[in-house]
Amino acid sequence: MNKFILIILSAIFTTSALANQPKEWQLGFQNPASSGMRDIVNFHNNLLLPIIIAISVFFLFLMLYACVRFRASANPNPSKRTHNVTVEILWTLIPCLILIVMAVPSFKILYKQDTIPKADLTIKAVGYQWYWGYEYPDENIIFDSYMVEEKDLRADQPRLLAVDNEVVVPVNKVVKVLITANDVLHAWALPSFGVKRDAVPGRINETWFKAEKEGTYYGQCSELCGIKHAFMPITVKVVSEEDYQEWLSEARVKFAKEEIENDKLKLASK
Ligand SMILES: [Cu+2]
């Protein structure tokens, strides 16, 4: 019986883990997996959407009303009025107020995202034409991350989103991401974390996220960077602290940046 419950639970958890990628016929955002993205989704769903819908409905009503009420057949002698001070003040002031109402929470979210809390680990993402290179500067780890070709996809890997070497980070830890590029502009973007930063050659941009759920998260390069712009996806695997330590110990060997010999650093021959 316990086994049965376990199977059902694991089935539920697999589906929730798979929910971090775009779905067919999806209209809204991907499920948020960080507080930053939750803020963005709330801002969009609870403030922007109602305002946009209200404005659209109001103006649809105004247009229909004008079409019927002021139609030519009912108004053989149309009014020649061109100014109305009250109306002009209103239709300037009200949109200004609406913009202020939207700007205040918007700036709050922007500033919150811009302030990087004390990081538990730092990763560096480097955009290349056309793949991403990653470094864990504190762990002496470096590797490249290429998209998996369609013919090589495993059953659980989504097309155009899966990569050969994923970024692995622990759950509930502040991850600081340093982003740069080696050739042209790219952008490191992960919708579930609400993260999107330009990768600029010769300059390092910073962002951060704290993933709240384990799972595999997919993103894409979001700055048109050339012919294979669509084929340099980003995959981040969020795992438990123990799994992360296990991955680290393997990665330190597999992806060693520099070989340590006689206490001195030497370029690894790989
Ligand atoms: Cu790119």
Side-chain angles (χ1 to χ4, degrees), residues 50 57 104 111 117 199 209 224:
V57 169
V104 173
Y111 283 121
F209 64 83
L224 191 52

Short mmCIF file of all heavy atoms in Angstrom, two decimals, residues 50 57 104 111 117 199 209 224:
data_model
loop_
_atom_site.label_atom_id
_atom_site.label_comp_id
_atom_site.label_asym_id
_atom_site.label_seq_id
_atom_site.Cartn_x
_atom_site.Cartn_y
_atom_site.Cartn_z
N PRO A 50 -6.45 43.52 -15.02
CA PRO A 50 -7.73 44.22 -14.77
C PRO A 50 -7.75 45.61 -15.38
O PRO A 50 -8.76 46.02 -15.97
CB PRO A 50 -7.81 44.28 -13.24
CG PRO A 50 -6.95 43.17 -12.77
CD PRO A 50 -5.86 43.00 -13.77
N VAL A 57 -12.62 47.61 -22.44
CA VAL A 57 -14.08 47.54 -22.42
C VAL A 57 -14.66 48.96 -22.47
O VAL A 57 -15.61 49.22 -23.22
CB VAL A 57 -14.56 46.80 -21.14
CG1 VAL A 57 -16.06 46.96 -20.96
CG2 VAL A 57 -14.19 45.33 -21.24
N VAL A 104 4.31 52.43 -9.46
CA VAL A 104 4.81 52.23 -8.09
C VAL A 104 5.14 50.76 -7.81
O VAL A 104 6.28 50.43 -7.48
CB VAL A 104 3.83 52.84 -7.07
CG1 VAL A 104 4.25 52.49 -5.66
CG2 VAL A 104 3.77 54.35 -7.25
N TYR A 111 13.39 47.13 -8.22
CA TYR A 111 14.46 47.37 -7.25
C TYR A 111 14.73 46.13 -6.42
O TYR A 111 15.87 45.85 -6.06
CB TYR A 111 14.11 48.58 -6.37
CG TYR A 111 14.33 49.88 -7.10
CD1 TYR A 111 13.31 50.79 -7.31
CD2 TYR A 111 15.59 50.19 -7.61
CE1 TYR A 111 13.51 51.97 -8.01
CE2 TYR A 111 15.81 51.36 -8.32
CZ TYR A 111 14.77 52.25 -8.51
OH TYR A 111 14.99 53.41 -9.21
N PRO A 117 20.90 39.76 -2.75
CA PRO A 117 21.19 39.40 -1.37
C PRO A 117 22.52 38.64 -1.29
O PRO A 117 23.09 38.28 -2.32
CB PRO A 117 20.02 38.50 -0.97
CG PRO A 117 19.26 38.20 -2.20
CD PRO A 117 19.81 38.99 -3.33
N ALA A 199 23.73 39.57 -22.04
CA ALA A 199 25.12 39.13 -21.96
C ALA A 199 25.89 40.00 -22.95
O ALA A 199 25.72 39.89 -24.16
CB ALA A 199 25.23 37.65 -22.32
N PHE A 209 18.78 34.54 -8.33
CA PHE A 209 17.50 33.86 -8.10
C PHE A 209 17.64 32.92 -6.93
O PHE A 209 18.76 32.57 -6.53
CB PHE A 209 17.03 33.12 -9.36
CG PHE A 209 17.92 31.99 -9.80
CD1 PHE A 209 17.83 30.74 -9.23
CD2 PHE A 209 18.88 32.20 -10.80
CE1 PHE A 209 18.66 29.70 -9.64
CE2 PHE A 209 19.72 31.17 -11.22
CZ PHE A 209 19.60 29.92 -10.63
N LEU A 224 18.59 38.46 -29.98
CA LEU A 224 18.89 37.93 -31.30
C LEU A 224 20.39 37.99 -31.56
O LEU A 224 20.99 39.06 -31.60
CB LEU A 224 18.13 38.75 -32.35
CG LEU A 224 18.12 38.17 -33.76
CD1 LEU A 224 17.67 36.73 -33.76
CD2 LEU A 224 17.26 39.00 -34.67
#
